[in-house]
Amino acid sequence: MNWNNWFRQVHRWLSIAFTVAVIVNIIAMVQEKSAVWVGLLALLPLGLLLVTGLYMFVLPYVTKRRDAGRTGG
Ligand code: HEM
C-alpha cells in the first residue's frame, strides 16, 4: 500500500471515529453531562481528518505539476 492510499484509508476510518464521537457528544448534551473531554473526543479525529483531508486535496495538483514537468520538456 502506498502513502496516498494509506492517507485515504486513515481518513475513511477517522470519519467513523468522528461520527461516533459526535453521537457521544449529542448523548452527553441531552443528558446534560457535558464535560470538556467529551468535546475533545470529537475534536481530535476532526483535527486529524483536516490534515489527512488537506493532504488528499492537494495530491492531484502536486502530481499533475510533477507529470507536467516530466512530459513538458
Ligand atoms: C476536516 C476537513 C476535511 C477535509 C479537508 C476533507 C477532505 C477530503 C478530501 C480531499 C477527500 C478526497 C476526495 C477525493 O476523492 O478526491 C475526502 C474524502 C473523504 N472524506 Fe473527507 N475531509 C474532511 C473531513 C471529513 C469528515 C468530517 C468526514 C466524515 C465524518 C469525512 C469523510 C470522508 C470520506 C468517507 C471520504 C472518502 C474516502 C475514500 O475515498 O475512501 N471527511 N475528504
Short mmCIF file of all heavy atoms in Angstrom, two decimals, residues 21-35 38-39:
data_model
loop_
_atom_site.label_atom_id
_atom_site.label_comp_id
_atom_site.label_asym_id
_atom_site.label_seq_id
_atom_site.Cartn_x
_atom_site.Cartn_y
_atom_site.Cartn_z
N ALA A 21 -17.93 9.91 17.84
CA ALA A 21 -17.68 10.95 18.84
C ALA A 21 -18.78 12.00 18.83
O ALA A 21 -19.17 12.50 19.89
CB ALA A 21 -16.32 11.61 18.57
N VAL A 22 -19.29 12.34 17.64
CA VAL A 22 -20.40 13.31 17.55
C VAL A 22 -21.63 12.75 18.24
O VAL A 22 -22.31 13.47 19.00
CB VAL A 22 -20.70 13.67 16.08
CG1 VAL A 22 -22.01 14.44 15.96
CG2 VAL A 22 -19.57 14.50 15.49
N ILE A 23 -21.92 11.46 18.02
CA ILE A 23 -23.09 10.82 18.65
C ILE A 23 -22.93 10.84 20.17
O ILE A 23 -23.87 11.17 20.90
CB ILE A 23 -23.29 9.39 18.09
CG1 ILE A 23 -23.71 9.48 16.60
CG2 ILE A 23 -24.34 8.64 18.89
CD1 ILE A 23 -23.62 8.18 15.85
N VAL A 24 -21.71 10.50 20.65
CA VAL A 24 -21.45 10.53 22.10
C VAL A 24 -21.67 11.94 22.64
O VAL A 24 -22.24 12.13 23.72
CB VAL A 24 -20.01 10.04 22.39
CG1 VAL A 24 -19.63 10.28 23.85
CG2 VAL A 24 -19.89 8.55 22.07
N ASN A 25 -21.24 12.95 21.87
CA ASN A 25 -21.43 14.35 22.26
C ASN A 25 -22.92 14.69 22.40
O ASN A 25 -23.31 15.36 23.36
CB ASN A 25 -20.81 15.28 21.21
CG ASN A 25 -19.46 15.77 21.64
OD1 ASN A 25 -19.36 16.74 22.37
ND2 ASN A 25 -18.41 15.07 21.23
N ILE A 26 -23.71 14.24 21.43
CA ILE A 26 -25.14 14.55 21.44
C ILE A 26 -25.79 13.89 22.66
O ILE A 26 -26.58 14.53 23.37
CB ILE A 26 -25.81 14.09 20.12
CG1 ILE A 26 -25.30 14.97 18.96
CG2 ILE A 26 -27.33 14.15 20.22
CD1 ILE A 26 -25.64 14.45 17.58
N ILE A 27 -25.42 12.63 22.93
CA ILE A 27 -25.97 11.93 24.09
C ILE A 27 -25.59 12.67 25.38
O ILE A 27 -26.43 12.89 26.26
CB ILE A 27 -25.47 10.46 24.13
CG1 ILE A 27 -26.07 9.68 22.95
CG2 ILE A 27 -25.85 9.78 25.45
CD1 ILE A 27 -25.46 8.32 22.72
N ALA A 28 -24.33 13.10 25.47
CA ALA A 28 -23.87 13.83 26.66
C ALA A 28 -24.63 15.14 26.82
O ALA A 28 -24.97 15.55 27.94
CB ALA A 28 -22.37 14.10 26.55
N MET A 29 -24.92 15.80 25.68
CA MET A 29 -25.65 17.07 25.72
C MET A 29 -27.08 16.86 26.21
O MET A 29 -27.58 17.62 27.06
CB MET A 29 -25.68 17.70 24.32
CG MET A 29 -24.60 18.75 24.10
SD MET A 29 -24.51 19.25 22.39
CE MET A 29 -26.11 19.99 22.15
N VAL A 30 -27.73 15.83 25.67
CA VAL A 30 -29.12 15.55 26.04
C VAL A 30 -29.21 15.22 27.53
O VAL A 30 -30.12 15.67 28.22
CB VAL A 30 -29.68 14.39 25.17
CG1 VAL A 30 -31.00 13.88 25.72
CG2 VAL A 30 -29.84 14.85 23.73
N GLN A 31 -28.23 14.47 28.01
CA GLN A 31 -28.23 14.08 29.43
C GLN A 31 -27.63 15.17 30.32
O GLN A 31 -27.50 14.98 31.52
CB GLN A 31 -27.43 12.78 29.61
CG GLN A 31 -28.05 11.61 28.87
CD GLN A 31 -27.38 10.30 29.18
OE1 GLN A 31 -26.25 10.27 29.67
NE2 GLN A 31 -28.06 9.20 28.91
N GLU A 32 -27.24 16.28 29.68
CA GLU A 32 -26.63 17.42 30.39
C GLU A 32 -25.44 16.99 31.24
O GLU A 32 -25.24 17.44 32.35
CB GLU A 32 -27.69 18.14 31.24
CG GLU A 32 -28.69 18.87 30.36
CD GLU A 32 -29.84 19.51 31.13
OE1 GLU A 32 -29.74 19.57 32.37
OE2 GLU A 32 -30.80 19.94 30.49
N LYS A 33 -24.66 16.09 30.66
CA LYS A 33 -23.47 15.59 31.35
C LYS A 33 -22.20 16.11 30.65
O LYS A 33 -21.14 15.50 30.76
CB LYS A 33 -23.45 14.07 31.34
CG LYS A 33 -24.32 13.43 32.40
CD LYS A 33 -24.19 11.92 32.34
CE LYS A 33 -25.13 11.24 33.30
NZ LYS A 33 -25.25 9.80 32.99
N SER A 34 -22.36 17.18 29.88
CA SER A 34 -21.26 17.70 29.08
C SER A 34 -20.00 17.91 29.92
O SER A 34 -20.04 18.52 30.98
CB SER A 34 -21.65 19.02 28.42
OG SER A 34 -22.73 18.81 27.57
N ALA A 35 -18.90 17.37 29.40
CA ALA A 35 -17.60 17.58 30.03
C ALA A 35 -16.63 17.96 28.92
O ALA A 35 -16.89 17.70 27.75
CB ALA A 35 -17.14 16.32 30.73
N VAL A 38 -15.41 15.20 26.58
CA VAL A 38 -16.35 14.69 25.58
C VAL A 38 -16.23 15.53 24.31
O VAL A 38 -16.27 15.00 23.20
CB VAL A 38 -17.80 14.71 26.11
CG1 VAL A 38 -18.76 14.08 25.12
CG2 VAL A 38 -17.90 13.98 27.44
N GLY A 39 -16.04 16.84 24.47
CA GLY A 39 -15.84 17.72 23.32
C GLY A 39 -14.55 17.42 22.60
O GLY A 39 -14.49 17.39 21.37
#
